[in-house]
Amino acid sequence: MAGPRVVIIGAGVVGAALADEISARGWTDVTVVDQGPLPATGGSSSHAPGLVFQTNASKTMTELARYTVEKFCSLDVDGEPCFLQVGGLEVATTPERLAELHRRHGWITAWGIESRILTPDECVERYPLVDRDKVLGGLLVPTDGLAKAVLAVEAQIRRATERGVRFLAGHEVLDVTRADGEVTGVLTGQGEIPADIVVCCAGIWGPRIARMAGMNLPLTPLAHQLAWTGPVPALAGQTEEAVRPILRHQDADLYYRDRFDGIGIGYYGHRPMPVSADDILSVDEADGMPSVLKFTEDDFEPAWTETQSLLPATREAKVEEGINGLFSFTTDGNPLLGESPDVKGFWVAEAVWVTHSAGVGRAMAEWLVDGYCSSFDLHECDVNRFEPHQLSPEYVLARDCQNFVEVYDILHPLQPSGDPRPIRTSPFHTRQQELDAFFLEANGWERPQWYEANAGLVEGRSIPTPNDWAARYWSPIVGAEAQVTRESVAMYDMTALKRLEVSGPGAAAFLERLCTGKVAKSVGSVTYTLLLDHDGGIRSDITVARLARDVFQVGANGNLDLDWFTRHLPAAGTVQVRDITPGTCCVGLWGPLARTVLQSLTDEDFSNDGLKYFRAKRAHIGSVPVTAMRLSYVGELGWELYTTADLGQKLWDTLWRAAEPLGGIAAGRGAFNSLRLEKGYRSFGTDMTYEHDPYEAGVGFAVKLDKDDFIGKSALERRKADVRRRLTCLTIDDPRSVVLGKEPVYDGDRAVGYVTSAAFGYTIGKGIAYAWLPTELATPGTMVHIGYFDQRVEAVVAEEPLFDPAMSRLRG
């Protein structure tokens, strides 16, 4: 047996995939336990309808699904295939849904999977039961299909068993044993199994198992209705299980799949029916599968009525059986993958549907064996991504139920979240309400997108109105605020950005080891730098300010940065890391008149010589003590001004009194995004992620290869010489053709990349889109087209930055 001792809890489609993938990588001292029988263990995998639609707004989720399709297509059990590749068809019955299918076609094309838009006649040709008069068009993905989940479990169990993996049925987990903050094993009803690593793949029981290891898992099992018709006369004689594509009628929250001469009907339109993981019966206690609840016919009645309308042939059939099957939902719709922040060796792979199961198995195997995942960007899936409030039972239940309701909804990228809200408000919130701010949510914070109080600034300005989709959650005030920032001065609420304090006698050496840049510089220095994974991929971009010999303030991107720092703390206790975000706040004061405003409020020297670009110092602004950092994410002269939360409103009022007579304003995130794109500033998680390296992303200047070793350095030295794609600036002349991100980019008829961030540049008077393109196309002057719904938008590669390339505004 090779590798550490691994126990996988759960032998469903995720646990079986992980066992197969991890044993293929040489770890064979692996035991998989499940309370149920094999291969149908009684969890969600055992009753899953098996529809695999790969289309997703998330590139990662699509790639996880694509790998699942590819793997399942290669699996069989005694000649019986594990995947029926009949294709996937989504139909539109409203103009809004047809437009959405064009947007979804853009996603799947951007992510590199074949698809095409069908006419109504082509939809009927593919799925003859559909009423031609109801359908306006469709989206076909030929490689979608039906996963035979239980067969796939069996096939992967067989492969893993041949490599030495043990599978133990009838072993209910009673506890996860621990000592000194590390797992030691798993206690089952049939004894304890020692382990160095425990991976929870328990699905709907996941929260219960995770709690045994002291971990709060933000997952809710919810019941989802699945019904089966009896024989449909129009399908009489069908001897193959499935011959038509799997079908989605998302306007009515419905999907359909063949089962010989009958049809399976899945329904998301009913009321959310959450169930506590603690209330789910064990396999021994349940009559049948514990993941299957009694069918509630009243909830299904609208689904059956709509089915008979869309598929008239079903009027001659009856619903003969149905279930309310339990599936896992999370607050953001993504899986929960990774290691516990508190118990070393306890990992989870939860909230994973059949669609993504094999991909997750591969990702987790790479992560465990290699220490990082090389095949997929998992930042959207890491279980440690959540802020503390996002783990509260009230929040988890509300958002999980909301995600169930919205699973087939048409959602705008900026669409506000639902309840509970508001959750986090900055000390400036009252003043922002007085200025009639339009708020969106960021990490739970209420953050102004624009201020209605600035409506009068629009008059006399050239603020083009974008197309209807881009104009949602937009106002011409956004353009006015951006222009005023460039003309005079504006105040931006930057409180929502994560702030960490790193301190202790080992702090400088600790940060040098994690950061690509040299951060152990003089007190007052501020450094823009990167965090890399061991493969050279970008984990985050951060700023590090040295405020004292052993005290640094880090401007981070989220909780994953805090988790990364915490995991790398030296055992000697010479470094402490703490999240100071809740107790602090920040105003970005930016614009040509920023110095005039600030200098009038203090005796400290804020001249160019007094505080140079990328330097910090402590000062008093009026009566408020602040940490002032001369940084600007909008490309204008100015400072980030930090103070404690109790003094936040006083800081706002002090700055406002000095700025307003000079024409200063409060400005929102809409203007901020436009300005930062004009300046070419990247946004981690949107423009660059774990899958990209600094040289591809255009932030190679933040890497100092001449410094001592840092995480990812050796990998980066290899990657530097082989840059095949680049994050590229595109401009769009048509002012209405504002794209929003995730659209495909075409060179002729060939999809060659995708858009990351986009906005209209109110200073340059053009649309801006950043996109990943092959290196050979990333040359200024190259003409490309962006696929936007059913249109092709002409764009040209531009030299960046588009605004103030000499940096005179920032350094003046």
Side-chain angles (χ1 to χ4, degrees):
M1 306 291 277
R5 297 170 300 175
V6 179
V7 174
I8 299 171
I9 301 173
V13 73
V14 180
L18 175 56
D20 179 34
E21 296 283 343
I22 203 168
S23 60
R25 284 163 175 77
W27 282 16
T28 54
D29 192 354
V30 178
T31 303
V32 184
V33 298
D34 201 293
Q35 61 176 326
L38 300 175
T41 61
S44 300
S45 302
S46 302
H47 67 74
L51 285 78
V52 176
F53 284 93
Q54 298 166 86
T55 307
N56 196 293
S58 164
K59 183 172 183 282
T60 296
M61 296 298 282
T62 293
E63 289 176 341
L64 291 169
R66 171 166 47 196
Y67 181 80
T68 301
V69 168
E70 292 170 354
K71 182 176 184 181
F72 281 11
C73 281
S74 71
L75 298 178
D76 69 87
V77 175
D78 300 330
E80 187 174 355
C82 294
F83 194 78
L84 306 177
Q85 201 160 42
V86 292
L89 175 63
E90 302 177 31
V91 294
T93 59
T94 63
E96 294 79 14
R97 181 65 61 177
L98 183 60
E100 172 71 357
L101 292 188
H102 281 284
R103 186 167 72 120
R104 294 173 66 80
H105 173 60
W107 295 341
I108 200 77
T109 301
W111 312 148
I113 295 179
E114 177 192 354
S115 68
R116 65 188 184 94
I117 296 292
L118 302 186
T119 66
D121 287 338
E122 289 173 322
C123 291
V124 175
E125 182 182 342
R126 295 279 180 167
Y127 204 101
L129 275 62
V130 167
D131 184 347
R132 165 65 177 78
D133 293 336
K134 284 188 67 81
V135 176
L136 303 180
L139 171 63
L140 177 70
V141 180
T143 52
D144 287 346
L146 286 169
K148 308 280 288 183
V150 174
L151 275 182
V153 168
E154 184 172 357
Q156 292 174 103
I157 286 176
R158 289 185 182 185
R159 286 160 49 125
T161 301
E162 289 175 357
R163 304 187 190 105
V165 175
R166 291 192 307 161
F167 285 83
L168 302 178
H171 282 60
E172 183 177 1
V173 173
L174 304 178
D175 199 8
V176 176
T177 58
R178 296 168 279 163
D180 300 323
E182 299 185 19
V183 296
T184 58
V186 172
L187 180 63
T188 77
Q190 300 192 38
E192 184 171 353
I193 305 169
D196 305 303
I197 294 172
V198 174
V199 187
C200 179
C201 304
I204 54 177
W205 290 279
R208 184 194 303 179
I209 300 296
R211 198 160 53 245
M212 296 175 184
M215 188 176 183
N216 184 2
L217 204 63
L219 179 159
T220 303
L222 282 111
H224 160 58
Q225 291 199 303
L226 175 66
W228 299 95
T229 72
V232 178
L235 305 181
Q238 180 175 320
T239 57
E240 295 181 61
E241 180 177 353
V243 297
R244 280 166 295 280
I246 52 176
L247 179 69
R248 279 206 277 202
H249 175 27
Q250 291 161 298
D251 284 321
D253 298 302
L254 285 162
Y255 63 77
Y256 304 94
R257 58 150 294 176
D258 284 9
R259 187 172 73 169
F260 300 103
D261 61 353
I263 296 175
I265 306 167
Y267 186 44
Y268 286 105
H270 55 80
R271 61 193 167 90
M273 293 184 262
V275 176
S276 169
D278 293 327
D279 294 335
I280 303 172
L281 299 177
S282 68
V283 170
D284 292 338
E285 296 171 321
D287 294 328
M289 285 190 286
S291 61
V292 172
L293 306 181
K294 184 179 179 181
F295 187 60
T296 50
E297 294 182 5
D298 289 347
D299 289 306
F300 192 73
E301 186 175 341
W304 182 233
T305 300
E306 180 60 28
T307 295
Q308 292 175 303
S309 174
L310 180 71
L311 309 177
T314 59
R315 296 169 189 166
E316 301 179 60
K318 294 182 179 179
V319 174
E320 292 196 347
E321 56 182 304
I323 63 170
N324 285 8
L326 294 177
F327 289 97
S328 300
F329 280 78
T330 63
T331 57
D332 58 8
N334 289 331
L336 307 173
L337 312 179
E339 188 179 18
S340 162
D342 302 313
V343 179
K344 183 176 175 58
F346 183 77
W347 293 69
V348 299
E350 288 288 345
V352 182
W353 292 5
V354 174
T355 300
H356 310 102
S357 58
V360 166
R362 177 174 180 173
M364 291 297 296
E366 291 179 353
W367 200 347
L368 287 162
V369 175
D370 301 330
Y372 60 89
C373 177
S374 58
S375 296
F376 308 98
D377 162 34
L378 296 181
H379 85 275
E380 296 175 320
C381 306
D382 193 314
V383 69
N384 296 297
R385 65 190 180 269
F386 301 105
E387 294 291 322
H389 73 273
Q390 295 173 318
L391 299 175
S392 70
E394 176 189 10
Y395 182 94
V396 170
L397 179 61
R399 290 293 170 91
D400 288 358
C401 288
Q402 179 183 340
N403 277 331
F404 177 90
V405 170
E406 294 179 345
V407 70
Y408 280 172
D409 285 1
I410 299 171
L411 301 176
H412 191 276
L414 294 178
Q415 188 161 322
S417 303
D419 290 333
R421 200 179 160 208
I423 297 176
R424 308 172 85 181
T425 56
S426 80
F428 321 132
H429 187 67
T430 299
R431 296 294 185 255
Q432 292 164 347
Q433 288 178 310
E434 292 169 356
L435 294 171
D436 204 6
F438 179 84
F439 291 99
L440 295 179
E441 185 184 353
N443 298 323
W445 294 95
E446 294 295 313
R447 184 169 65 186
Q449 192 72 2
W450 68 82
Y451 294 85
E452 288 292 337
N454 292 328
L457 298 174
V458 174
E459 187 176 352
R461 297 179 180 275
S462 176
I463 312 288
T465 300
N467 57 78
D468 292 345
W469 183 251
R472 297 188 187 185
Y473 309 108
W474 174 88
S475 166
I477 298 170
V478 167
E481 290 178 355
Q483 291 178 356
V484 170
T485 304
R486 296 264 188 250
E487 295 163 359
S488 57
V489 63
M491 295 164 53
Y492 288 82
D493 182 357
M494 304 299 291
T495 303
L497 297 182
K498 176 78 82 176
R499 291 173 292 285
L500 308 176
E501 182 184 85
V502 181
S503 61
F510 168 75
L511 288 168
E512 284 290 325
R513 170 67 179 148
L514 267 62
C515 295
T516 62
K518 297 177 181 178
V519 299
K521 299 184 291 192
S522 62
V523 172
S525 65
V526 183
T527 306
Y528 173 81
T529 185
L530 308 173
L531 304 178
L532 303 182
D533 215 326
H534 295 275
D535 64 345
I538 301 171
R539 286 196 63 94
S540 190
D541 66 333
I542 61 175
T543 55
V544 179
R546 191 170 200 173
L547 302 183
R549 183 180 183 277
D550 295 331
V551 179
F552 296 80
Q553 181 172 310
V554 175
N557 280 298
N559 215 56
L560 289 180
D561 293 345
L562 174 60
D563 181 68
W564 184 252
F565 279 4
T566 303
R567 291 184 188 280
H568 289 87
L569 286 173
T574 57
V575 183
Q576 294 79 46
V577 176
R578 67 186 183 102
D579 183 359
I580 61 172
T581 312
T584 57
C585 58
C586 179
V587 175
L589 181 71
W590 295 314
L593 301 182
R595 181 175 286 122
T596 304
V597 171
L598 199 60
Q599 196 63 77
S600 70
L601 299 169
T602 181
D603 293 332
E604 291 284 342
D605 184 3
F606 278 93
S607 68
N608 198 37
D609 292 332
L611 188 63
K612 294 185 180 297
Y613 188 50
F614 265 81
R615 296 289 297 178
K617 68 177 177 181
R618 291 191 167 110
H620 282 84
I621 306 302
S623 59
V624 180
V626 302
T627 298
M629 299 186 195
R630 191 171 167 195
L631 310 176
S632 173
Y633 207 51
V634 301
E636 291 291 339
L637 170 69
W639 294 265
E640 293 179 358
L641 303 171
Y642 299 89
T643 193
T644 52
D646 60 321
L647 292 169
Q649 184 169 303
K650 181 64 174 177
L651 174 63
W652 181 278
D653 290 345
T654 302
L655 293 170
W656 182 258
R657 282 194 297 271
E660 190 180 24
L662 300 175
I665 62 167
R669 189 69 178 186
F672 177 94
N673 197 49
S674 170
L675 295 169
R676 70 105 179 164
L677 286 175
E678 287 184 331
K679 195 61 184 166
Y681 292 147
R682 278 63 169 147
S683 174
F684 177 80
T686 303
D687 297 317
M688 55 190 186
T689 66
Y690 293 3
E691 68 175 298
H692 306 115
D693 71 47
Y695 304 110
E696 298 171 327
V699 288
F701 63 87
V703 177
K704 307 302 180 187
L705 290 176
D706 60 343
K707 63 174 280 188
D708 290 340
D709 194 27
F710 55 84
I711 293 175
K713 180 180 179 182
S714 59
L716 203 57
E717 289 172 331
R718 294 190 299 270
R719 294 177 69 156
K720 183 178 182 181
D722 188 28
V723 176
R724 301 183 183 184
R725 58 183 174 179
R726 293 192 184 279
L727 185 60
T728 306
C729 179
L730 307 176
T731 58
I732 302 166
D733 287 337
D734 182 357
R736 281 191 54 80
S737 297
V738 174
V739 301
L740 294 179
K742 302 187 177 181
E743 297 89 357
V745 180
Y746 294 90
D747 176 30
D749 292 329
R750 180 174 62 109
V752 292
Y754 58 92
V755 173
T756 58
S757 297
F760 190 81
Y762 297 100
T763 312
I764 66 168
K766 293 184 178 183
I768 307 169
Y770 271 78
W772 282 100
L773 294 180
T775 302
E776 63 270 18
L777 294 177
T779 303
T782 302
M783 188 72 68
V784 294
H785 288 83
I786 299 171
Y788 188 65
F789 292 90
D790 58 348
Q791 305 167 25
R792 293 288 179 92
V793 176
E794 190 175 272
V796 64
V797 176
E799 196 82 50
E800 59 172 331
L802 299 169
F803 176 77
D804 188 27
M807 303 280 282
S808 60
R809 314 249 314 190
L810 284 166
R811 298 181 183 278

